[in-house]
Structures are given as C-alpha cells and as structure tokens.
Amino acid sequence: QNQRYVPFSELEEHDVPILIDNVRCSNETTNIMECEADVAKGHDCSISENLWLKCSSGDDDDDTEPEWEIENAFLVWLDENEEDREGPEGLLVVHVADNDDYEQMKAGTVCDDGFNDHAANLVCQKLGYKYAADWGSEPRNREFIPLSVLEKYNVTIAVDDVRCSNGTTDILECEAKIMEGHDCSHSEDLWLKCSSGDDDDDKKPDWELIDANLIWMNEYEE
C-alpha cells in the first residue's frame, strides 16, 4: 500500500535512500525522538518496506466514514466480444480504494462537471501521454461502453466536480468529490483521447461514418 502515495519508480528515479531502520520504542516512550533507531547507518530493507501512516485528529468522523482515494485510472472500451480493452482513447474509468480497508476497492466513471482542457491534459499526462487531443461526454461516451453494460454491472459514478487550478501540475492535486455523492447521470461520463505527441498522432485521420448510399449505373453509365 505504501506505493499508493509515492510510486516505487519515482523513488528509484530520484535515488531516494532508506535513511532509518530498526525503530524501537519502549512502552514508556512519549516522544518519537526518544526511540532507538539506526539513522543513516545502513539497513537490510527494500523500498517495499517503506512505512506509511494515517493519522487521526480524534474526531468521530475519522472512524465512521471511509476515506476514498483514486488508486489508478484507465481509458477503456469494449471490443466486439464485449471484452474490455485499454489504450490512449476510451471511457475514463477509475479505481478508488478506502484508506481504512485497502481490500475495499470500487470501479467507477468520472462526471464531466467542472472538467476542462487543463484537467484533460493532466489526466493524459498521469496515464503516460503528453496531452489530451480530445475529450468530452455524450454522445461519444456510449461508443466506448454502452449504457446497458454500465447498468448491468452497476458501475457507479465515482468522481464528480473535478476542478484544477491553472497552476496544478498533477491531476491528483485537483479538487474533486470522490465517492461523496453526485448530481450526474451516465450521459455525463467522461471520455478522453490522449496523445503521445508523436507526429503520427496528428497524421492519422479520425474517421467517422457520416452517411451511406446505394448506387447503380443505368444503361448510359450514369
């Protein structure tokens, strides 16, 4: 669960060391600084053993209401066999987890309330792309996952009112209601098309069927 806060890849990229090992506090200790520990003396740990904590202010709400956080996100669509697929374009689906019960995880969609171009770019960057080439809600959201499928599996709207200030550089720093109720319908589910910034992204046309005709030629070849 520790890598939910800072991914292992970030720690390795910036060569963040494990500074403290073997913290030992007696039952009588009242200050963490009085505990014994090996500080910058070497260790026999891996980053998988990095500690995380959740502190409480002692309010009753801390213990009664789950505190949901976004665990990961995907752009999803269904293929002809109704198998889900992931890629640079699709319906935005997030997995949210309860901090108090990591096993309690739910999947849901994101409502378009408050969403803008800056938020779309931040989402795509979080997913490993450079920017959002396009985004929206209805009617194209149903091209990726039909409403009947969402209703069949009782997929909830997990995130609403996403608001990112202009200076925000990480989508997880934006304000949002996560599993706090919403005033949306699935017609407002977000879809995105992310771009890696390669030239090929701009050269490939985004084709859509506009209309069709049945034609024939008469004896005058008209």
Tab-separated table of all heavy atoms in Angstrom, residues 2 8 38 41 68 84 99 113 123 144 150 154 183:
chain	number	residue	atom	x	y	z
A	2	ASN	N	2.132	1.159	0.432
A	2	ASN	CA	2.968	2.358	0.512
A	2	ASN	C	3.163	3.048	-0.833
A	2	ASN	O	3.255	4.271	-0.908
A	2	ASN	CB	4.333	2.034	1.149
A	2	ASN	CG	4.986	0.810	0.555
A	2	ASN	OD1	4.592	0.319	-0.502
A	2	ASN	ND2	5.997	0.293	1.235
A	8	PHE	N	7.121	3.388	-6.518
A	8	PHE	CA	8.497	2.921	-6.416
A	8	PHE	C	9.357	3.513	-7.525
A	8	PHE	O	10.533	3.818	-7.323
A	8	PHE	CB	8.548	1.390	-6.493
A	8	PHE	CG	7.943	0.696	-5.296
A	8	PHE	CD1	7.593	-0.649	-5.357
A	8	PHE	CD2	7.717	1.382	-4.103
A	8	PHE	CE1	7.041	-1.288	-4.259
A	8	PHE	CE2	7.162	0.748	-3.002
A	8	PHE	CZ	6.823	-0.585	-3.089
A	38	ASP	N	18.416	3.115	13.932
A	38	ASP	CA	19.627	3.221	13.131
A	38	ASP	C	19.400	4.304	12.083
A	38	ASP	O	18.627	4.116	11.128
A	38	ASP	CB	19.937	1.896	12.432
A	38	ASP	CG	20.242	0.788	13.429
A	38	ASP	OD1	20.651	1.110	14.555
A	38	ASP	OD2	20.050	-0.396	13.073
A	41	LYS	N	22.789	4.585	9.062
A	41	LYS	CA	23.852	3.637	9.428
A	41	LYS	C	23.807	2.382	8.563
A	41	LYS	O	24.394	1.366	8.917
A	41	LYS	CB	23.725	3.245	10.895
A	41	LYS	CG	23.938	4.381	11.882
A	41	LYS	CD	23.804	3.874	13.304
A	41	LYS	CE	24.020	4.993	14.319
A	41	LYS	NZ	23.862	4.509	15.733
A	68	TRP	N	-11.922	7.807	0.696
A	68	TRP	CA	-11.637	7.238	-0.612
A	68	TRP	C	-10.530	8.010	-1.312
A	68	TRP	O	-10.461	9.223	-1.227
A	68	TRP	CB	-12.893	7.253	-1.475
A	68	TRP	CG	-14.004	6.409	-0.947
A	68	TRP	CD1	-15.061	6.828	-0.192
A	68	TRP	CD2	-14.181	5.003	-1.115
A	68	TRP	NE1	-15.879	5.772	0.105
A	68	TRP	CE2	-15.364	4.635	-0.450
A	68	TRP	CE3	-13.457	4.010	-1.790
A	68	TRP	CZ2	-15.841	3.335	-0.428
A	68	TRP	CZ3	-13.925	2.714	-1.765
A	68	TRP	CH2	-15.112	2.384	-1.092
A	84	ASP	N	-13.223	-5.924	-22.242
A	84	ASP	CA	-12.715	-4.569	-22.054
A	84	ASP	C	-11.273	-4.461	-22.531
A	84	ASP	O	-10.473	-5.365	-22.336
A	84	ASP	CB	-12.833	-4.137	-20.584
A	84	ASP	CG	-12.090	-5.049	-19.642
A	84	ASP	OD1	-12.575	-6.173	-19.427
A	84	ASP	OD2	-11.029	-4.646	-19.125
A	99	ASN	N	-9.032	4.080	2.329
A	99	ASN	CA	-7.762	4.086	3.060
A	99	ASN	C	-7.765	3.152	4.258
A	99	ASN	O	-6.729	2.627	4.665
A	99	ASN	CB	-7.437	5.507	3.533
A	99	ASN	CG	-6.766	6.327	2.444
A	99	ASN	OD1	-6.282	5.781	1.466
A	99	ASN	ND2	-6.754	7.633	2.605
A	113	ASP	N	-18.725	17.382	-14.844
A	113	ASP	CA	-18.916	18.652	-14.135
A	113	ASP	C	-17.572	19.247	-13.707
A	113	ASP	O	-16.777	18.579	-13.034
A	113	ASP	CB	-19.787	18.452	-12.892
A	113	ASP	CG	-21.240	18.193	-13.238
A	113	ASP	OD1	-21.581	18.271	-14.430
A	113	ASP	OD2	-22.028	17.899	-12.320
A	123	VAL	N	-4.863	14.493	-16.850
A	123	VAL	CA	-5.228	13.074	-16.827
A	123	VAL	C	-4.356	12.298	-17.800
A	123	VAL	O	-3.789	11.248	-17.461
A	123	VAL	CB	-6.717	12.883	-17.164
A	123	VAL	CG1	-7.020	11.402	-17.393
A	123	VAL	CG2	-7.600	13.408	-16.047
A	144	PHE	N	-17.827	3.857	-26.490
A	144	PHE	CA	-16.790	3.077	-25.828
A	144	PHE	C	-17.381	1.989	-24.924
A	144	PHE	O	-16.952	0.842	-24.978
A	144	PHE	CB	-15.882	4.005	-25.029
A	144	PHE	CG	-15.236	5.069	-25.858
A	144	PHE	CD1	-15.649	6.395	-25.781
A	144	PHE	CD2	-14.232	4.744	-26.750
A	144	PHE	CE1	-15.065	7.374	-26.562
A	144	PHE	CE2	-13.631	5.715	-27.547
A	144	PHE	CZ	-14.055	7.032	-27.455
A	150	LEU	N	-22.962	-0.613	-18.327
A	150	LEU	CA	-22.764	0.057	-17.036
A	150	LEU	C	-23.881	-0.289	-16.062
A	150	LEU	O	-23.640	-0.525	-14.868
A	150	LEU	CB	-22.693	1.570	-17.238
A	150	LEU	CG	-21.547	2.104	-18.109
A	150	LEU	CD1	-21.675	3.613	-18.282
A	150	LEU	CD2	-20.200	1.753	-17.499
A	154	ASN	N	-23.769	-2.451	-12.623
A	154	ASN	CA	-23.989	-1.462	-11.554
A	154	ASN	C	-22.756	-0.593	-11.321
A	154	ASN	O	-22.317	-0.391	-10.182
A	154	ASN	CB	-24.393	-2.175	-10.252
A	154	ASN	CG	-25.013	-1.227	-9.242
A	154	ASN	OD1	-25.598	-0.203	-9.612
A	154	ASN	ND2	-24.871	-1.543	-7.969
A	183	ASP	N	-24.443	14.738	-8.721
A	183	ASP	CA	-25.704	15.130	-9.342
A	183	ASP	C	-25.622	14.864	-10.848
A	183	ASP	O	-26.121	15.635	-11.664
A	183	ASP	CB	-26.012	16.602	-9.067
A	183	ASP	CG	-24.903	17.530	-9.530
A	183	ASP	OD1	-23.846	17.033	-10.007
A	183	ASP	OD2	-25.075	18.753	-9.429
